[in-house]
Amino acid sequence: MPVIDSSVQQFQTCINACNKCSQACEECLTSCLKEPDVQARIHCINILRDCADICSMASQWMSRGSIYAKQFCQLCATICEECAAECAKFKDSHCQECANICRQCAEECRKMAAM
Amino acid sequence: MPVIDSSVQQFQTCINACNKCSQACEECLTSCLKEPDVQARIHCINILRDCADICSMASQWMSRGSIYAKQFCQLCATICEECAAECAKFKDSHCQECANICRQCAEECRKMAAM
Amino acid sequence: MPVIDSSVQQFQTCINACNKCSQACEECLTSCLKEPDVQARIHCINILRDCADICSMASQWMSRGSIYAKQFCQLCATICEECAAECAKFKDSHCQECANICRQCAEECRKMAAM
Amino acid sequence: MPVIDSSVQQFQTCINACNKCSQACEECLTSCLKEPDVQARIHCINILRDCADICSMASQWMSRGSIYAKQFCQLCATICEECAAECAKFKDSHCQECANICRQCAEECRKMAAM
């Protein structure tokens, strides 16, 4: 059944993106705390806390087939997008990489929410 | 400063409601699994999983003063309301009590989201 | 049945302590990030991340009556104790208060683990 | 630096195993709830709840480089091992697959804890 198959595939793609994004945010947060300009990164750090958490829970909710997975991914997309924009302001590699991963995750979450 | 004070008070009221609701949902889920008509409760159990999780995370996000706390509480309110409606269908005391606690939590989360 | 009653009471006391501690750690983390000496607090901030998370999950696991609640609370007690020691190094009120709350939570978690 | 490289590699292997295990447990729990013999699976379902949660948090803690990652993975290994043993009792494919994934995750978590 192609419909179910493509649906399962889309879930897996989005779960993987959320797992990757949660990891990137946790790593980036830890790295930001070590930067000499940590005081310029407070807003970024606070968004990273939220983004790591919501991506992790989005992954769990998609895995369980929650009826709220789409709504949850919609909010997740918003936060990932803003986290990407915030990380993109910093030139170090962990922020640049995290920004890219957040942007990809936002895109996958938007696809999920629109299914 | 009365504005800040009432804001802090509202946060605490909603945090307490979310903690109480997360606990009620975890307890009710465990109790539903033991009921002889567990097969009639699958939908209820699945909503309880989500409701327990989102209330717990909402509590954490309000505590940290997340800029997404209101949006998160709005989704939390939706899920609490539907969890209350689902639990209310079952006559045992854990479901009836959980329904009441979910309804109160939904109300507090709506107040938070509207602040 | 007094045994069960006192057991339930002990669970509720520990759940409340964990909820309170998770909140204190989230608040303290947010406040530490705003302090002028944030760079001196990196280790404290990293422990606060873990302590907030484990207290929140400990509360959920006790609520559901997990067979691993005691083992989980034992690890939670260790982390709360070290978080208290770290917060106690800073003189501001949020760290001092968080240290006290972590110490109380550690004590309740040790009681739980020993039940 | 080979030491650091192999350490990072080991973290990533264990993070991937935990993400996969958390997903398998959430999926298996949802599937168990739909089985006609759900009443025979209550213990399994309750362990799956814990195993999904702890694997998800273990993944986050390794990602952030928590000083408690090893201790956390040690407890995670215990729970994964018991979850595997419980799932292995049921003959359906989701339980058999989940048992294998839990066993692999337990092994990776033990390696992490022993590093």
Side-chain angles (χ1 to χ4, degrees), chain B residues 3-22:
Chain B
V3 176
I4 289 175
D5 283 358
S6 95
S7 163
V8 167
Q9 184 52 49
Q10 179 50 38
F11 265 65
Q12 193 58 56
T13 304
C14 193
I15 288 168
N16 294 348
C18 285
N19 288 342
K20 195 175 176 183
C21 192
S22 178

Side-chain angles (χ1 to χ4, degrees), chain A residues 43 46-47 49-51 53-54 57 60-61 64 66-68 71-72 75 78-79 82-83, chain B residues 43 46-47 49-51 53-54 57 60-61 64 66-68 71-72 75 78-79 82-83:
Chain A
H43 184 55
N46 279 323
I47 296 187
R49 291 162 80 185
D50 295 343
C51 197
D53 282 354
I54 200 167
M57 195 173 282
Q60 282 194 278
W61 286 29
R64 71 176 63 157
S66 163
I67 56 171
Y68 302 108
Q71 281 172 272
F72 205 78
L75 181 52
T78 302
I79 295 175
E82 295 185 21
C83 193
Chain B
H43 185 55
N46 279 322
I47 296 187
R49 290 162 82 185
D50 295 341
C51 198
D53 282 355
I54 200 167
M57 195 173 281
Q60 282 194 277
W61 285 29
R64 73 177 61 158
S66 164
I67 57 172
Y68 302 107
Q71 282 172 272
F72 204 78
L75 181 52
T78 301
I79 295 174
E82 294 185 21
C83 193

